[in-house]
Amino acid sequence: MSLKILILFTISIFLIFRPTTSDIVSDRSTLLSIRSALRGRSLLWNITSPTCSWPGVICSPDKSSVLELHLPGMGLSGQIPPGLFSNLTKLNFLSLRYNALSGVIPADLFSPLKDLKNLYLQHNLFSGPVPDSIFSLSNLVRLNLAHNNFSGPIPSSFNNLTGLGTLYLQDNGFSGQIPDLNLPGLVQFNVSDNQLSGSIPSKLSGQPKDSFLGTSLCGKPLDSCDNNNNSNGNEREKKKKLSGGAIAGIVIGCVIGLLLILLFLFFCCCRKRSNKETTRSADVAGVKEVGVEIPEEKGVESNGGKDGFLGSAIAAIGVGGGNKDKGKAEAIVGNGKSLVFFGKMNKSFDLDDLLKASAEVLGKGTFGTAYKAALESGITLVVKRLRDVTVPEKEFREKIEEVGKLNHENLVPLRAYYYSGDEKLLVYDYISMGSLSALLHGNKGAGRTPLNWETRAGIALGAAHGIAYLHAQGPSVSHGNIKSSNILLTKSYEARVSDFGLAQLVGPSSTPNRVAGYRAPEVTDPRKVSQKADVYSFGVLLLELLTGKAPTHSLMNEEGVDLPRWVQSVVREEWTAEVFDLELLRYQNVEEDMVQLLQLAVDCTAQYPDRRPSMAEVTSRVEELCRSSFMDSGADIIDNAEVQTA
């Protein structure tokens, strides 16, 4: 008997203190099977190194098992075979988003993953119903199946997932009604862009309106079902009442109206062309007279214009006169007007000092020409000469006073302004590093210093803070001209947003067509830009940071396809990491963060304004992403933007 007891004791001790390598060995085998089964861009795993050091693989503290698997945007394709994850029993995080995985997911694929809390399958090509094994994951907190081809009704079995906090099903082929979901912890929910119909369950009525757009659903927060039925019936009645004579009258009226509009546009174009040629000839003549060149704006400022006197350049363009340097400066000073300063600006110079400063043309932008002015006292400023100002003097002064009051560390402050009948000048601080546009696209030679991920993320965050501050001033306050050439950088690469508040001062002719690369599709008058349109422009700016492509370049070389549509087409057809700037691909440990910022940019550039986030939400998401990137030493991939405590 004592021998049996001894044997049992020995076995117990062995089971308690057995080596832990067996778990990680089986996990390693499963990971290699995943790499073999899912075709696409090779997973960057060195099989001679430990499993827990592989990119995207996060293990338990004792390295005994795999806890998280992050494989976003890896070009994985093909169908997932049954039982592929059977050995990863300790897995609590699985991300396969932004790949080209397709087909029906095996019904029992996720059954072994009882500890799974976060499952991200969005932006693939999965089809068929939601696999039954998902409903057995009792610990699941976040589930994202968006942007796939799932079909059939939304299963009521989602009620089994009582701890679910996020459920994203948008942009699929789900049909029928939404089941009566009873998920007390559900915070984030979206079923937009599906073939759903019927009324929205009362327990989901508190979700945002965006969560149900692109469907035939009704009820709170959308229009009530009764109103929908009544409006549809009224429309049918109206259509029935339209007689043939009425239709003919409408057609004739439309034709006459169209002809009048075309005649008016032809007259305006002829007049505009004549004015443009006259103005340009005067500009060139005046600039040549003082030896200063004005380059056309190409998204990148042109530095190094020839030196001259600021007063001479401005007077030559504004007056077109025949006096020389000093006389032209006196022509402006002699009108009795003076500079108007803002805040506690050191008034160590006056208009006369400014006009006598040596000048260098920085570029010809949307609202006018910018000069770098070096005063004799050693102060360097930027003077912007506005063109095509359409508002009267009183309104101009009121609007520019509001601009001068804005004070934020991520805005280029307006220090002073000058107004006369012929000239409107704005005085800003000089930001030495130039613009983001010049940094991204200006120097492509061997001596170029590449922008790393942390720098780009920091620039995005600074710009977001500045624009969000503008929006916080009131619902009618917007920037109106967000683009990379208006994001200036300090020596420490901190972003400063410029040119805000000027869109409402000038006529529509001042906004060239090339700004269309940043302009939201709903904007027809550049003087009337909403905050949601600003969000769209900021999204394009994020895409520019991530891809290294200028929106204007895309318009010229991609047969009219703008940058947002190009990115979305790449993601939709077959996700590939080549969408990112080559300079960013060297930072493999932050690929997950890059994908998150790309998703934010795509959200910002949604075609419909209601589907875009607010600038405050954008700032919060960029801030969270930066916190994740900057806290991480580079060894692991951390999903702080998605993994939160329930």
Side-chain angles (χ1 to χ4, degrees), residues 375-492:
L375 278 64
E376 293 180 355
S377 61
I379 300 174
T380 302
L381 300 165
V382 170
V383 178
K384 181 181 287 289
R385 175 185 180 267
L386 297 181
R387 66 167 180 265
D388 297 334
V389 174
T390 58
V391 298
E393 180 175 357
K394 181 180 179 182
E395 184 178 350
F396 178 92
R397 292 187 184 277
E398 289 175 351
K399 290 182 179 295
I400 212 68
E401 287 286 344
E402 293 298 320
V403 174
K405 292 176 184 178
L406 297 173
N407 182 23
H408 189 273
E409 61 181 357
N410 293 114
L411 298 180
V412 179
L414 177 61
R415 297 304 188 187
Y417 76 94
Y418 167 86
Y419 183 98
S420 72
D422 296 323
E423 294 298 334
K424 290 84 181 172
L425 309 178
L426 305 179
V427 181
Y428 295 94
D429 287 346
Y430 174 66
I431 310 297
S432 59
M433 286 291 288
S435 75
L436 174 61
S437 177
L439 200 62
L440 279 175
H441 314 299
N443 176 19
K444 294 295 185 181
R448 171 181 170 81
T449 302
L451 278 175
N452 61 27
W453 164 248
E454 287 78 10
T455 301
R456 297 191 198 211
I459 291 171
L461 180 59
H465 274 301
I467 299 166
Y469 168 81
L470 292 176
H471 287 191
Q473 306 308 306
S476 62
V477 179
S478 62
H479 185 290
N481 191 31
I482 297 170
K483 55 183 179 177
S484 59
S485 57
N486 282 338
I487 307 299
L488 306 183
L489 304 173
T490 67
K491 290 183 178 179
S492 56

Side-chain angles (χ1 to χ4, degrees), residues 198-201 205 212 216-226 228:
S199 59
I200 297 172
S205 61
F212 306 100
S216 298
L217 293 166
C218 59
K220 191 177 179 182
L222 302 179
D223 295 336
S224 69
C225 297
D226 292 338
N228 274 0

Side-chain angles (χ1 to χ4, degrees), residues 516-532:
Y518 296 90
R519 188 184 299 167
E522 73 274 10
V523 175
T524 56
D525 186 343
R527 296 168 298 177
K528 299 176 182 178
V529 175
S530 68
Q531 293 187 350
K532 289 290 186 166

